[in-house]
Amino acid sequence: MIDPTAALTTAIENSTKVANTPIFSTVIDRLLGFKVSEWKAQGDVIKKHITDGYEEAKQKGLGLQYVSAFREHTNLINISAKAAEYINSEKQNDIAFDNDVFWGLIEHSKDISNDDMQNLIAKIIAGEYNIPGTYSMSTLQTIKMLGKDELKLLEMVASLIVNSKQIPQNVFTLPESIKEIMNELTIDFGSLQLLQSLGLVLPNDMKKTMENPEKQPIQVSYFDRNIIFIPENDSSVRIEMPSFYGLSPVGSQIVKHLNPGINDKYFDWLKANYKIPNYKVTE
């Protein structure tokens, strides 16, 4: 059986943050049917009441049903407390009745207990409150399809992104030169397909061409690191960037809230294998 005590203790501690954020205290009080501001003051009483109730339900074989009945309370309070940290306290926005993204995320919060997913949803809720219209219904629907494993996979794949939202296509052809890196990241072509099915990565590989009549150096960014390419010959007036898979708009929104890390081996691989015809990497 699941022990609810840890989640309950966290929710009681977080209740003060929620109560001190007007938008959330109003919403949470309405959704839960009690004043969240009273939880901290009556924390010991509430904890004993819920814990005793859980033990009684468990003895009757109803422990999981009991957990299901109150987990929505703790999830909603804990996510709201996280979101409160990102709320712009100088703004007092009235969330529109038809802002389905905001209200949909609040409702979805009841079902999310994983800490990483809670952090993501909290940041998006706060972002939508601070600037209504920042996120779309596509964001909401994608969030509903994501679990902790898919979120972790996206974060791992995001460590391969160049130029903010491009993943070189030949990464997923798995040339021998990158197999070790991909194995360490536990990423393969199936990983790409899964993220595409979730709408986080665009379905087809793309190409980008540009004109460079003055033959200026080209910069390719990998996080805060850069690779500089310089022209080699007269054909350098036209730039044909390597094929890539692009993050979708929703994918880009979500990646901004994750913490993909720089992979030194991958950066070295890019310097040796990311090719722009008629350009060479400067040393």
Side-chain angles (χ1 to χ4, degrees):
M1 290 294 181
I2 300 170
D3 183 356
T5 305
L8 176 61
T9 299
T10 301
I12 290 172
E13 291 299 318
N14 282 336
S15 61
T16 300
K17 296 179 184 177
V18 177
N20 290 336
T21 307
I23 177 62
F24 289 128
S25 61
T26 302
V27 170
I28 302 307
D29 286 356
R30 180 177 60 81
L31 290 176
L32 300 185
F34 56 79
K35 288 187 176 296
V36 70
S37 58
E38 296 176 357
W39 263 43
K40 185 61 181 292
Q42 301 179 22
D44 291 339
V45 174
I46 291 171
K47 187 182 297 185
K48 185 177 188 308
H49 173 73
I50 293 178
T51 302
D52 290 349
Y54 172 65
E55 291 300 326
E56 181 180 343
K58 186 165 62 172
Q59 291 174 10
K60 297 177 181 178
L62 301 174
L64 286 178
Q65 289 90 325
Y66 189 88
V67 169
S68 177
F70 83 87
R71 71 187 291 272
E72 291 183 355
H73 294 188
T74 58
N75 288 340
L76 194 52
I77 290 172
N78 290 336
I79 289 178
S80 296
K82 293 174 186 288
E85 298 179 14
Y86 303 100
I87 288 290
N88 184 348
S89 59
E90 297 179 358
K91 301 184 70 173
Q92 291 295 325
N93 291 332
D94 290 327
I95 297 298
F97 178 80
D98 63 352
N99 188 328
D100 295 334
V101 175
F102 181 85
W103 298 115
L105 286 167
I106 291 290
E107 192 65 29
H108 183 55
S109 297
K110 297 177 182 179
D111 297 324
I112 303 302
S113 300
N114 175 261
D115 192 57
D116 290 334
M117 285 298 299
Q118 285 192 349
N119 289 332
L120 172 64
I121 292 171
K123 291 174 182 177
I124 293 177
I125 287 174
E128 185 63 21
Y129 174 80
N130 292 335
I131 307 177
T134 296
Y135 299 96
S136 66
M137 286 298 291
S138 295
T139 309
L140 172 60
Q141 296 307 318
T142 300
I143 289 292
K144 288 183 176 181
M145 293 189 292
L146 282 180
K148 62 180 180 180
D149 293 336
E150 292 82 8
L151 193 65
K152 185 63 177 178
L153 175 61
L154 177 61
E155 188 171 66
M156 296 293 284
V157 170
S159 68
L160 303 174
I161 291 173
V162 300
N163 296 335
S164 300
K165 55 183 178 181
Q166 301 175 2
I167 308 166
Q169 183 269 343
N170 64 334
V171 164
F172 290 102
T173 64
L174 292 180
E176 193 64 37
S177 59
I178 203 171
K179 283 185 178 179
E180 179 183 352
I181 297 171
M182 298 293 272
N183 287 337
E184 289 178 359
L185 294 173
T186 63
I187 296 172
D188 56 19
F189 188 70
S191 305
L192 174 69
Q193 291 180 309
L194 175 57
L195 296 180
Q196 288 174 328
S197 72
L198 292 169
L200 297 166
V201 176
L202 296 173
N204 301 310
D205 63 306
M206 298 175 284
K207 292 184 178 180
K208 184 177 182 181
T209 60
M210 300 176 289
E211 299 299 324
N212 187 17
E214 297 181 357
K215 299 183 182 179
Q216 294 295 312
I218 302 301
Q219 177 177 292
V220 174
S221 61
Y222 176 63
F223 292 89
D224 60 349
R225 303 180 183 184
N226 298 306
I227 305 173
I228 307 298
F229 292 82
I230 58 174
E232 282 192 300
N233 52 51
D234 292 339
S235 298
S236 300
V237 295
R238 185 173 178 80
I239 302 170
E240 296 182 5
M241 301 297 288
S243 297
F244 63 91
Y245 293 101
L247 290 179
S248 70
V250 173
S252 295
Q253 288 179 333
I254 293 176
V255 164
K256 289 178 182 178
H257 298 304
L258 304 182
N259 296 297
I262 291 176
N263 187 304
D264 293 327
K265 292 181 181 178
Y266 178 61
F267 184 61
D268 291 338
W269 181 88
L270 285 171
K271 289 188 289 186
N273 296 278
Y274 191 89
K275 304 292 187 182
I276 302 176
N278 304 310
Y279 283 76
K280 65 180 180 179
V281 176
T282 59
E283 297 298 331

